[in-house]
Amino acid sequence: MGSKPVMWNVLVTNAFLFLLLFSLFSSVTASVTYDEKAIIINGQRRILMSGSIHYPRSTPEMWPDLIQKAKDGGLDVIQTYVFWNGHEPSPGNYYFQGRYDLVGFIKLVKQAGLYVHLRIGPYVCAEWNFGGFPVWLKYIPGMVFRSDNEPFKAAMQKFTNKIVDMMKAERLFESQGGPIIMSQIENEYGPVEYELGDSAKAYAKWAAEMAVGLGTGVPWIMCKEDDAPDPIINTCNDFYCDWFSPNKAYKPKMWTENWTGWYTEFGGPVPHRPAEDVAFSVAKFIQKGGSFVNYYMYHGGTNFGRTAGGPFIATSYDYDAPIDEYGLLRQPKWGHLRDLHKAIKLCEHALVSANPTVTKLGSNQEAHVFQSKSGACAAFLANYDSNSFATVSFRNTKYNLPPWSISILPDCKNTVFNTARIGSQSAQMKMTPASVGVGGFSWQSYNEETASVEDSSFTVAGLLEQINVTRDSTDYLWYMTTVQIGPNEIFLKNGQLPVLTVMSAGHALHVFINGQLSGTAYGSLENPKLTFSGSVPLRAGINKISLLSLSVGLPNVGIHYETWNAGVLGPVTLKGLNEGRRDLSWQKWSYKIGLKGEALSLHTLSGSSSVEWVEGSQMARKQPLTWYKAIFNAPAGNEPLAVDMNSMGKGQIWINGQSIGRYWPAYKASGTCGGCSYAGTYTSTKCQSNCGEASQRWYHLPRSWLKPTGNLLVLFEEWGGNPTGISLVSRTVQSVCADIFEGQPTQTGWEMKASGKVQGTLRPKAHLWCAPGQKISSIKFASYGTPQGMCGSFQEGNCHAHKSYDAFEKRCIGQQLCSITIAPEVFGGDPCPSTRKKLSVEAVCK
Ligand code: GAL
């Protein structure tokens, strides 16, 4: 009897200890860890699909929708860099508002139930101005970027600390119950280390230790950094990463940048990456045991203001991403990847529990099988041949594999997805004129006079480096000097004008002689340097030479890119004078930073009302150095808007005081364009468009920057474009297409299979849906048989069911969406019984 209370005490104490231990244990498991297979969250190994959305490349008003679309697209994680130069515009002066509201962005991701991968960097590359570094950083005495250099390390540590502390204070790390499951320090430092050797290695080690020392409770990764020290995970960035293995057997195989397309540069064509190839690359990675894939970019967005890097990176950072620059779905890419994610998730259990066994199925075909001890089995059947179909036999069943494709079998039996068979619809987008009030834009102009010596801020002997002078506060720097021409110069009589040659380190240059534009020269991303050489109309007496030198975004990548120069560094020479050649490089040069209109803030309402504008017939047209403004009303509706700048040359554009970015439609894209096959190794120049046309014609104007009436659009034109050609357009779905093979696995089919509702073969369906508010108004094309071509340009083949249109016309017209089963009886019978058929349909949305 007497021992009972003691027993009870022991029991209570044990239970208490157990609870304590349990809660300790569970709080440990609530943090994020990893093993050789995967990232482990709450004790679970996870196959994670992630997508990059850079918060300053869209507006806060767009964020919830972008995040929701990412979630609907089957993503688990949103990845973003942190943009130091946006957050610390001057030393110690921080900014986290508006598009730079990092905490707000992360909280929205959390609200949507997704995780965050935070790439603090703080070097980010990203085609972002100066790779994310504030320009003032360069001017800290003794500074050497991204190296074992005390001033750099101190500044980097301070900013990294600042961000980590902010995240901790807001309890945003997963270890605190927040959404951040991983962070990144540095960015692709491996290639730099390779070039620079030991001192770079010391820096990488320091960066790693500094990051780990911050105690975030979640793993750190370093991308493209083969010697990332433990516990940091080294990861892969590339178009394909199946070849990659982490540097230790106990780290998971992760892919931080699967490039969904590529960036556009002014002067370059627009790159596209076929959805089939993106899906193929992902399946190939997963079948080799990969467990984390991030799409760079999932939404690329816009380089607003002067945030584009390069130099010469375009304002659009669309990237051919699954969500387009405007926030609309890019179809079929978004849908095809969503279907891929669903297929992979059906395999998740087998993938995280087993290592793949690989069997050859043919000379260029393989099976990767994940068979878990508990009986789960998932198989990936791959055909690497980029030209031929393959019929393979796997576990006594025949499977037909299109070229360059992988089929996914979540039960090792039924194909639910093939990377080259798109079940999702594709969409053709269009830019439709949008109304800004009666008669379109009504423009007024203001002349930015050519600066001359009298306007200068200072004068020195010789030519100065541009960024040292402007500190990148503006794209514009005037270099001004005078040239005395004697009355006896022979050219004054024979009319053979002297030739002025100006060598510049970049990026663009307008040459004015006595106030008149005499010519323009510019470099490119590959070679920002330029030489202007042209005859100039000098006259007897004193001549004013004014060179307007422009930067077009600071470099964001390259060994010690912070030391790269811009501006007129010379020599500057005149040839064809009586004396022969005159070198102007070392004479007195006067400088003026920025434009008069910039100093007056002409882009704002108050600034623009401080000067007299000219309108009507007096208005400047096709004049260089001209400011234009127009007041307009917002078009009805909520479709995304863009400004069509095709009639313009080069400059910058603002709406209600906000900078939309640099425009440069006069820079035509040179390169190779044309159709491209999804099959075969992709490179960034494989599939391009816009050759011979503007690299970028349309400029995104976020809806949230507009008021219903009285919006102020301002632009500064450097070259002499014609503003009357500018128009506002809205971006909408023009038509939607389905292009589906008989017997092809489709989403609905395998959803039903996965739920156990259906066994055996399912007939695929074509799904068509227009945007909310739109309806299918007509069927532009429909053919069940052997149609050819692509969405927008389908053609009938030799075999065509005569009732191909009927089913669609009956069931789709007047609807926002419709689904039609692909089977002979639906189209009035089989038009060619022994041939493999497909259905191609294009429906117009209105
Ligand atoms: C990667 C880099 C990214 C981005 C990308 C190209 O190497 O890490 O920041 O620059 O290239 O778009």
Side-chain angles (χ1 to χ4, degrees):
M1 287 276 286
S3 66
K4 242 186 170 173
V6 177
M7 278 284 290
W8 181 243
N9 270 346
V10 170
L11 270 178
V12 170
T13 320
N14 280 348
F16 177 74
L17 269 177
F18 175 77
L19 277 176
L20 186 78
L21 275 177
F22 179 78
S23 68
L24 267 180
F25 181 69
S26 56
S27 76
V28 169
T29 55
S31 70
V32 185
T33 57
Y34 63 81
D35 66 8
E36 76 286 0
K37 291 294 298 174
I39 291 287
I40 300 172
I41 307 174
N42 290 327
Q44 297 268 320
R45 285 177 177 161
R46 297 293 308 276
I47 300 290
L48 295 170
M49 294 295 151
S50 170
S52 292
I53 300 178
H54 294 158
Y55 50 98
R57 285 177 154 147
S58 54
T59 60
E61 290 76 9
M62 291 168 72
W63 294 344
D65 182 55
L66 295 176
I67 295 166
Q68 187 59 44
K69 283 175 171 150
K71 186 176 183 181
D72 296 342
L75 296 193
D76 309 289
V77 183
I78 302 296
Q79 187 205 65
T80 182
Y81 282 126
V82 176
F83 297 88
W84 187 358
N85 50 13
H87 291 305
E88 200 177 350
S90 60
N93 162 24
Y94 293 102
Y95 181 75
F96 288 95
Q97 310 283 307
R99 285 186 293 120
Y100 291 92
D101 181 5
L102 173 60
V103 167
F105 179 75
I106 295 178
K107 286 187 173 166
L108 284 173
V109 178
K110 179 183 158 105
Q111 254 173 42
L114 299 181
Y115 297 122
V116 171
H117 177 204
L118 193 67
R119 305 175 89 189
I120 300 178
Y123 167 69
V124 300
C125 193
E127 290 71 69
W128 188 262
N129 199 41
F130 229 27
F133 287 143
V135 173
W136 53 258
L137 189 68
K138 175 178 166 178
Y139 297 97
I140 291 177
M143 178 65 57
V144 186
F145 284 5
R146 303 180 76 200
S147 71
D148 195 13
N149 161 277
E150 293 312 318
F152 180 76
K153 290 193 293 186
M156 167 164 168
Q157 179 159 13
K158 188 167 166 220
F159 182 72
T160 308
N161 248 316
K162 163 99 191 164
I163 296 300
V164 167
D165 284 351
M166 253 179 108
M167 298 302 116
K168 281 185 183 168
E170 300 280 347
R171 307 196 62 76
L172 291 176
F173 288 107
E174 172 74 13
S175 49
Q176 304 172 291
I180 305 173
I181 53 164
M182 270 186 310
S183 293
Q184 175 179 307
I185 196 75
E186 252 294 339
N187 189 76
E188 296 196 333
Y189 196 67
V192 181
E193 238 180 88
Y194 180 77
E195 296 262 333
L196 299 184
D198 284 350
S199 72
K201 279 196 180 9
Y203 160 70
K205 187 162 172 285
W206 168 85
E209 279 165 8
M210 183 270 284
V212 172
L214 297 176
T216 59
V218 302
W220 286 89
I221 66 105
M222 287 176 110
C223 61
K224 267 204 196 170
E225 175 77 62
D226 289 347
D227 63 356
D230 287 1
I232 295 190
I233 309 166
N234 64 310
T235 64
C236 182
N237 294 346
D238 209 334
F239 287 115
Y240 307 93
C241 277
D242 45 281
W243 52 270
F244 171 81
S245 306
N247 60 15
K248 294 283 170 49
Y250 43 82
K251 295 179 184 176
K253 173 167 165 151
M254 295 171 58
W255 190 356
T256 30
E257 291 183 25
N258 179 355
W259 301 314
T260 50
W262 199 243
Y263 55 82
T264 301
E265 62 195 71
F266 285 126
V270 179
H272 304 279
R273 184 176 181 198
E276 296 94 326
D277 184 60
V278 182
F280 176 73
S281 71
V282 173
K284 207 171 172 207
F285 182 71
I286 299 289
Q287 73 175 8
K288 291 274 294 279
S291 55
F292 177 96
V293 178
N294 175 71
Y295 298 102
Y296 186 101
M297 301 296 296
Y298 195 74
H299 170 256
T302 310
N303 294 313
F304 294 115
R306 300 174 56 250
T307 61
F312 297 96
I313 296 297
T315 295
S316 168
Y317 198 63
D318 179 84
Y319 223 89
D320 202 32
I323 304 178
D324 74 15
E325 174 173 10
Y326 299 86
L328 301 176
L329 300 184
R330 170 164 283 116
Q331 294 284 43
K333 196 175 265 186
W334 180 88
H336 192 48
L337 296 177
R338 174 205 52 197
D339 294 351
L340 166 73
H341 303 150
K342 285 192 180 163
I344 290 173
K345 284 300 162 76
L346 292 174
C347 307
E348 184 168 13
H349 180 63
L351 291 172
V352 298
S353 324
N355 290 326
T357 47
V358 189
T359 16
K360 273 221 150 295
L361 301 175
S363 59
N364 233 342
Q365 293 76 31
E366 275 176 355
H368 287 72
V369 179
F370 296 78
Q371 176 97 54
S372 83
K373 291 205 179 79
S374 64
C377 186
F380 289 64
L381 308 184
N383 177 15
Y384 306 121
D385 194 308
S386 48
N387 297 311
S388 315
F389 278 83
T391 302
V392 297
S393 179
F394 173 70
R395 299 195 171 183
N396 299 323
T397 307
K398 293 242 180 299
Y399 295 85
N400 189 260
L401 305 174
W404 197 256
S405 80
I406 296 177
S407 280
I408 300 180
L409 293 62
D411 53 1
C412 284
K413 235 166 108 185
N414 292 293
T415 304
V416 299
F417 182 86
N418 175 277
T419 57
R421 287 285 172 257
I422 296 181
S424 157
Q425 73 168 358
S426 47
Q428 298 263 302
M429 308 304 288
K430 69 170 173 199
M431 295 301 207
T432 323
S435 167
V436 290
V438 191
F441 289 121
S442 159
W443 294 101
Q444 304 185 345
S445 70
Y446 173 81
N447 185 12
E448 166 87 32
E449 272 157 38
T450 310
S452 58
V453 175
E454 305 82 66
D455 309 307
S456 69
S457 333
F458 62 93
T459 301
V460 293
L463 295 160
L464 301 177
E465 198 279 334
Q466 179 157 345
I467 308 306
N468 285 342
V469 178
T470 64
R471 299 285 162 109
D472 200 37
S473 60
T474 165
D475 279 4
Y476 304 98
L477 179 63
W478 286 101
Y479 291 73
M480 297 161 295
T481 196
T482 52
V483 172
Q484 173 83 40
I485 295 294
N488 300 328
E489 286 290 343
I490 295 171
F491 82 82
L492 292 173
K493 298 193 184 82
N494 69 11
Q496 282 208 338
L497 294 177
V499 172
L500 176 72
T501 301
V502 182
M503 310 273 277
S504 163
H507 309 140
L509 182 75
H510 302 300
V511 175
F512 296 84
I513 306 295
N514 297 320
Q516 296 300 311
L517 181 62
S518 233
T520 288
Y522 45 94
S524 65
L525 174 55
E526 289 65 37
N527 182 14
K529 291 199 176 114
L530 62 97
T531 303
F532 169 86
S533 199
S535 44
V536 285
L538 299 180
R539 52 192 185 218
I542 292 185
N543 292 268
K544 292 180 179 175
I545 297 186
S546 305
L547 308 175
L548 182 58
S549 177
L550 300 134
S551 57
V552 193
L554 301 188
N556 56 268
V557 66
I559 303 285
H560 292 308
Y561 66 78
E562 77 270 27
T563 60
W564 300 358
N565 293 327
V568 181
L569 294 180
V572 179
T573 57
L574 267 178
K575 267 190 225 148
L577 303 179
N578 292 357
E579 67 202 86
R581 176 178 181 272
R582 191 189 292 181
D583 192 340
L584 312 181
S585 314
W586 287 101
Q587 64 181 45
K588 276 198 180 147
W589 287 86
S590 298
Y591 294 83
K592 184 173 179 305
I593 300 169
L595 305 171
K596 186 172 165 209
E598 287 181 300
L600 291 169
S601 292
L602 291 190
H603 64 288
T604 65
L605 201 54
S606 59
S608 71
S609 43
S610 69
V611 300
E612 285 287 319
W613 296 75
V614 181
E615 56 189 330
S617 58
Q618 298 297 301
M619 190 188 80
R621 278 187 184 84
K622 302 192 182 174
Q623 295 289 314
L625 303 194
T626 309
W627 293 82
Y628 293 100
K629 74 164 185 179
I631 306 275
F632 69 98
N633 295 338
N638 52 14
E639 301 88 14
L641 299 172
V643 195
D644 181 348
M645 298 295 285
N646 222 20
S647 66
M648 301 305 283
K650 177 182 184 308
Q652 287 179 48
I653 176 165
W654 295 264
I655 179 76
N656 294 328
Q658 302 251 30
S659 172
I660 293 176
R662 299 185 182 97
Y663 68 82
W664 199 347
Y667 206 156
K668 305 297 178 204
S670 67
T672 314
C673 290
C676 85
S677 158
Y678 76 88
T681 306
Y682 180 78
T683 62
S684 61
T685 53
K686 185 178 172 188
C687 310
Q688 308 188 110
S689 67
N690 285 39
C691 291
E693 294 165 32
S695 296
Q696 187 180 351
R697 168 176 180 179
W698 290 290
Y699 295 78
H700 182 203
L701 196 169
R703 276 268 177 192
S704 62
W705 290 357
L706 289 182
K707 310 175 281 185
T709 57
N711 296 289
L712 173 69
L713 189 65
V714 176
L715 49 112
F716 175 65
E717 166 65 30
E718 297 165 14
W719 278 12
N722 180 6
T724 58
I726 298 176
S727 65
L728 197 66
V729 295
S730 68
R731 187 168 169 86
T732 52
V733 177
Q734 176 168 29
S735 66
V736 291
C737 298
D739 193 19
I740 294 176
F741 287 86
E742 260 180 348
Q744 164 180 338
T746 65
Q747 190 202 338
T748 346
W750 54 259
E751 260 169 4
M752 292 173 78
K753 239 176 221 172
S755 66
K757 283 192 199 135
V758 183
Q759 302 286 317
T761 337
L762 251 185
R763 295 188 303 186
K765 277 187 172 185
H767 302 275
L768 297 172
W769 68 95
C770 297
Q774 287 187 323
K775 294 216 157 91
I776 297 174
S777 65
S778 64
I779 304 300
K780 193 174 148 197
F781 181 90
S783 178
Y784 172 67
T786 55
Q788 314 277 311
M790 287 160 44
C791 182
S793 57
F794 287 130
Q795 285 162 3
E796 279 177 26
N798 292 336
C799 163
H800 168 76
H802 292 290
K803 291 202 164 160
S804 294
Y805 282 75
D806 296 12
F808 290 98
E809 282 175 345
K810 214 156 80 207
R811 303 260 297 278
C812 300
I813 305 243
Q815 307 294 318
Q816 192 214 331
L817 47 97
C818 64
S819 302
I820 305 279
T821 303
I822 301 167
E825 65 272 19
V826 178
F827 304 106
D830 194 333
C832 45
S834 53
T835 312
R836 252 183 98 237
K837 286 169 289 294
K838 70 190 274 213
L839 170 96
S840 300
V841 56
E842 178 172 0
V844 178
C845 299
K846 277 229 169 86

